[in-house]
Amino acid sequence: MNCAIFGTYPQHRQRRMRTTPAMRSLVRETELNPAHLVLPMFVKHGDKVRAPVASMPGVFQLSKDELVREAQAAFNDGVPAGPLFGIPEKKDEVATEAYADNGITQQAVRLLKKEVPELLVITDICLCEYMSHGHCGLIDKSGNTPVILNDPTLRLLSKTAISHAAAGADILAPSDMMDGRIGAIRSALDDSGFAETPIMSYAAKFASSFYGPFRDAAHSAPEFGDRKTYQMDPANAREAVREVGMDINEGADIVMVKPALAYLDIIHKVKDTFGYPTAAYSVSGEYSMIKAAAQNGWIDERTVTLEALNSIKRAGADIIITYSARDAANWIKADR
Ligand code: PBG
């Protein structure tokens, strides 16, 4: 071997360190911790509603009472909650319920902070679930092709953020991918007395087809076009680093890469470059693929899920957002 490392270390005796579970634990480099797994949840209007999401077995749209039960269970499992996604009563062209004081997310956060006060609650700041057209921003339809407007959208995002902070959200997670939103939201929060509320920025969010099942769950598929004018091109890694750098400059406290499994190189680059608290969102499609294969008996859900989560952590994620958070937390504890 001409590589220096092979000249220095005796490569022919690696298996000595793999002989028993105790030996393997002794030299294990990556450890999953339930406190670093975060459970996304969907909340909708009504009472005693627990509506299954067909493409995401084990995930439900919950009314507030059911949300509290699920959140209490997550807390008992040692898992934080979020991002919390609201499904509004009515959608319109200005996303009214996104920033309404009595919007579904605002009501849910108030109730969660009352009923499970120690649970960490992260909310999603975006407009797509609340827009009749399903896009993440305001739209100008005057030309031949509709344009998603950047700066006018920032005002609505800031209003949404303030309303979530006022309801008691512990961390705000903007997922819209408009330029300048972190700076706009940060200064709006600071000016409104919420200087202590942190921002987890969906900093490098790619225009991914892995979001398909989520859009069923949140009823947020765009009515026309796609999100490629605001979410990132999956081919770009250097641009992801720039996006993250901008968000850090604008005041992000935690930066996120999304999706996770197909973007491990981005997670690694982001963690290596900035050393910031780094989150990775293991998105709906990643979850559904494992569930579907497991339901067919083609793979083992438990070991494959833990292996996937491990790889995300190993790549550099400190925090992993995953629909498997509760199951994974319990598997990790049982394996210890
Ligand atoms: C909203 C949003 C999306 C997801 C999180 N926030 C969907 C999208 O951008 O279309 C996806 C989450 C998942 O797939 O699990 N902007």
Side-chain angles (χ1 to χ4, degrees), residues 56 85 124 126 128-129 136 175-176 202 205 210-212 214-215 220 227 231 258 281-285 323:
M56 301 176 72
F85 298 99
D124 188 78
C126 198
C128 57
E129 298 108 271
C136 302
S175 71
D176 52 282
Y202 288 66
K205 177 174 175 180
F210 283 97
Y211 306 152
F214 172 93
R215 292 178 189 170
S220 68
R227 303 207 201 287
Q231 298 180 351
K258 177 184 172 192
Y281 197 142
S282 183
V283 301
S284 54
Y323 300 93

Side-chain angles (χ1 to χ4, degrees), residues 194-215:
F194 299 110
E196 299 303 324
T197 305
I199 297 176
M200 172 193 278
S201 161
Y202 288 66
K205 177 174 175 180
F206 290 86
S208 170
S209 293
F210 283 97
Y211 306 152
F214 172 93
R215 292 178 189 170

Side-chain angles (χ1 to χ4, degrees), residues 265-317:
D265 58 324
I266 312 286
I267 297 170
H268 188 257
K269 240 186 209 315
V270 164
K271 184 57 178 296
D272 245 27
T273 307
F274 301 103
Y276 247 62
T278 303
Y281 197 142
S282 183
V283 301
S284 54
E286 300 175 38
Y287 174 84
S288 300
M289 286 194 303
I290 293 179
K291 279 283 180 185
Q295 284 184 349
N296 274 297
W298 295 339
I299 58 171
D300 179 62
E301 182 182 356
R302 175 177 175 153
T303 51
V304 168
T305 300
L306 290 177
E307 186 176 332
L309 293 175
N310 225 299
S311 73
I312 298 166
K313 187 113 207 192
R314 193 187 64 231

Side-chain angles (χ1 to χ4, degrees):
M1 291 284 173
N2 33 16
C3 174
I5 202 166
F6 290 114
T8 317
Y9 302 104
Q11 280 300 301
H12 55 289
R13 281 291 179 253
Q14 281 302 318
R15 290 185 51 196
R16 275 184 206 130
M17 294 283 96
R18 294 177 196 148
T19 49
T20 62
M23 198 70 89
R24 292 191 291 272
S25 311
L26 183 71
V27 295
R28 185 158 298 131
E29 298 174 27
T30 310
E31 207 85 65
L32 288 166
N33 176 347
H36 299 161
L37 304 177
V38 188
L39 179 70
M41 297 201 281
F42 301 96
V43 62
K44 71 188 304 186
H45 291 274
D47 202 28
K48 301 194 172 54
V49 183
R50 198 173 166 81
V53 178
S55 52
M56 301 176 72
V59 175
F60 300 84
Q61 299 173 333
L62 304 168
S63 53
K64 282 177 299 179
D65 51 321
E66 289 288 331
L67 181 81
V68 167
R69 283 181 36 183
E70 180 73 13
Q72 182 67 59
F75 181 72
N76 295 344
D77 291 337
V79 161
L84 181 61
F85 298 99
I87 302 160
E89 198 105 71
K90 275 209 321 268
K91 299 174 189 252
D92 59 28
E93 303 239 314
V94 289
T96 304
E97 202 180 316
Y99 41 86
D101 261 350
N102 63 347
I104 184 64
T105 304
Q106 292 80 352
Q107 288 185 33
V109 171
R110 267 183 238 118
L111 191 65
L112 282 179
K113 294 311 293 180
K114 177 163 161 268
E115 300 292 332
V116 199
E118 287 170 78
L119 175 75
L120 191 78
V121 177
I122 304 169
T123 59
D124 188 78
I125 308 290
C126 198
L127 306 175
C128 57
E129 298 108 271
Y130 303 90
M131 289 288 202
S132 42
H133 47 64
H135 276 288
C136 302
L138 289 163
I139 287 190
D140 177 1
K141 285 185 178 155
S142 60
N144 287 340
T145 27
V147 175
I148 321 296
L149 298 170
N150 197 87
D151 295 4
T153 299
L154 302 183
R155 203 173 43 83
L156 299 190
L157 291 168
S158 300
K159 274 170 73 169
T160 305
I162 290 169
S163 75
H164 288 196
D170 295 299
I171 301 179
L172 308 177
S175 71
D176 52 282
M177 285 302 276
M178 297 298 125
D179 283 332
R181 77 258 163 73
I182 300 303
I185 290 171
R186 182 72 271 160
S187 60
L189 289 170
D190 293 353
D191 292 347
S192 309
F194 299 110
E196 299 303 324
T197 305
I199 297 176
M200 172 193 278
S201 161
Y202 288 66
K205 177 174 175 180
F206 290 86
S208 170
S209 293
F210 283 97
Y211 306 152
F214 172 93
R215 292 178 189 170
D216 294 342
H219 302 305
S220 68
E223 215 167 49
F224 55 85
D226 52 40
R227 303 207 201 287
K228 291 180 183 166
T229 67
Y230 41 107
Q231 298 180 351
M232 285 189 54
D233 183 339
N236 293 358
R238 290 188 294 269
E239 185 190 351
V241 172
R242 286 202 297 280
E243 278 280 5
V244 172
M246 280 164 51
D247 284 8
I248 289 174
N249 278 335
E250 290 176 30
D253 301 282
I254 300 172
V255 289
M256 190 203 296
V257 174
K258 177 184 172 192
L261 269 189
Y263 297 83
L264 295 176
D265 58 324
I266 312 286
I267 297 170
H268 188 257
K269 240 186 209 315
V270 164
K271 184 57 178 296
D272 245 27
T273 307
F274 301 103
Y276 247 62
T278 303
Y281 197 142
S282 183
V283 301
S284 54
E286 300 175 38
Y287 174 84
S288 300
M289 286 194 303
I290 293 179
K291 279 283 180 185
Q295 284 184 349
N296 274 297
W298 295 339
I299 58 171
D300 179 62
E301 182 182 356
R302 175 177 175 153
T303 51
V304 168
T305 300
L306 290 177
E307 186 176 332
L309 293 175
N310 225 299
S311 73
I312 298 166
K313 187 113 207 192
R314 193 187 64 231
D318 303 296
I319 300 160
I320 306 175
I321 298 170
T322 167
Y323 300 93
S324 304
R326 287 193 53 208
D327 281 342
N330 288 311
W331 294 330
I332 292 163
K333 285 182 268 185
D335 284 348
R336 271 180 188 158

